[in-house]
Amino acid sequence: MKKQFSAILFVLLICMSLCVPAFATNDSDEYEYVENSRLVDMADILSDTEEASLTTKLDEISNRNQVDIVIVTVTDLEGRTLTEYADDFYDYNGYGFGEDADGLAYVIKIEPDGSYSSGNSWISTTGYAITAFTDAGIQYIGKQITPELTEYNYYEAFNEFADLCDEFIAQSDSGNPYDSDNLPKEPFNFFKSFLISVVIGIAAAIIITESLKKKMKTVYYSSEAKDYLKSGSLNVMNSQDIFLYSQVDKRKIEKESSCGSSTHESSSGTTHGGGGF
């Protein structure tokens, strides 16, 4: 009888232990573990179809490059700065490839009404991503996707972000990461450039012509050549050029160096790079 009672009690204890929720904690406070997806849309700004498409794209790029690319949308930073939130989200949710947890988390804060304002984005890089995504490179990426973000075209912006990440990793793999001295060239728009050139040319021509016309108002027609010569203005008796010496000053012009990636330490003790826009 005692054995049966002990067995029943043991089973009950096991059942109760299975009901306890699991949390991942840091040194100071609790941080709830979320599903390890590379797209976490807590701000609910994407449709189910868009989420599925983006997740597939992020998974493919991440697995092919062995660098995690994570996008997180939030409306509440839970008392953290964007930098702290991005670092902690990446660290405590188990992202990253290899020993150095290679990858990045792009956290974007959305207002409760679904709008976005510039300055509410942060990219936190870890491991190899610190090399591939320099400070200047992150600013370049921000410049490319911000127009779509401010128009609330979030799906288009995130797709472009994923493509740029793929391009930046490939460039870094070549041994020459994008940085301040070798950022991608802007696409050349022939029609736009042509229109700008024509407008500038016409404006310059009008200004120069009007300026010359104003100067000509003091000139009047004369029938004799002597009237065009100011009395006593020309009296050349002797002229010669004497070369004495020359002096050449040389100064080395330093080429602007690459700025690289600035780093900091997160609450977990992990080294992160990153930048906001």
Side-chain angles (χ1 to χ4, degrees), residues 67-68 101-104 124-134 138 261:
V67 178
D68 255 336
D102 301 333
L104 64 81
S124 174
T125 56
T126 310
Y128 181 66
I130 296 176
T131 300
F133 298 86
T134 62
I138 290 173
S261 299

Side-chain angles (χ1 to χ4, degrees), residues 51-263:
E51 283 192 39
S53 176
L54 273 171
T55 299
T56 300
K57 186 171 190 173
L58 293 172
D59 287 345
E60 191 280 324
I61 293 173
S62 299
N63 289 319
R64 172 163 46 82
N65 291 296
Q66 294 293 283
V67 178
D68 255 336
I69 307 298
V70 181
I71 298 176
V72 184
T73 72
V74 297
T75 56
D76 182 10
L77 296 175
E78 301 173 0
R80 297 174 172 87
T81 64
L82 267 171
T83 305
E84 293 167 344
Y85 193 98
D87 291 347
D88 289 348
F89 193 94
Y90 190 89
D91 293 343
Y92 294 110
N93 283 307
Y95 293 108
F97 283 88
E99 294 181 358
D100 296 327
D102 301 333
L104 64 81
Y106 168 37
V107 173
I108 174 173
K109 183 179 183 297
I110 304 297
E111 298 301 323
D113 62 357
S115 63
Y116 172 81
S117 301
S118 295
N120 284 318
S121 289
W122 185 271
I123 295 175
S124 174
T125 56
T126 310
Y128 181 66
I130 296 176
T131 300
F133 298 86
T134 62
D135 294 351
I138 290 173
Q139 293 307 309
Y140 174 87
I141 291 174
K143 182 180 177 182
Q144 304 310 305
I145 69 173
T146 294
E148 293 287 5
L149 294 175
T150 53
E151 292 294 326
Y152 314 149
N153 298 324
Y154 300 119
Y155 178 70
E156 291 78 5
F158 295 159
N159 261 301
E160 186 175 1
F161 172 77
D163 290 335
L164 285 168
C165 287
D166 197 11
E167 179 184 345
F168 270 60
I169 295 170
Q171 179 68 22
S172 181
D173 289 344
S174 73
N176 188 27
Y178 284 132
D179 208 341
S180 57
D181 55 357
N182 69 323
L183 290 172
K185 289 181 170 48
E186 299 284 351
F188 180 73
N189 189 323
F190 175 79
F191 183 71
K192 181 179 179 180
S193 299
F194 176 75
L195 286 179
I196 293 174
S197 299
V198 170
V199 171
I200 293 175
I202 292 174
I206 291 174
I207 293 171
I208 293 172
T209 303
E210 289 298 320
S211 176
L212 292 174
K213 284 173 63 178
K214 290 179 180 178
K215 292 180 180 179
M216 293 296 292
K217 289 181 179 180
T218 59
V219 179
Y220 301 94
Y221 172 78
S222 178
S223 59
E224 296 185 20
K226 66 178 183 179
D227 294 332
Y228 291 98
L229 180 63
K230 185 177 181 180
S231 178
S233 63
L234 183 63
N235 186 21
V236 180
M237 302 300 294
N238 185 25
S239 177
Q240 66 181 117
D241 294 327
I242 301 175
F243 182 79
L244 298 177
Y245 61 88
S246 66
Q247 179 178 343
V248 179
D249 294 325
K250 294 183 178 181
R251 180 171 62 88
K252 182 179 179 181
I253 300 176
E254 299 289 345
K255 182 180 178 182
E256 183 182 357
S257 61
S258 178
C259 69
S261 299
S262 57
T263 59

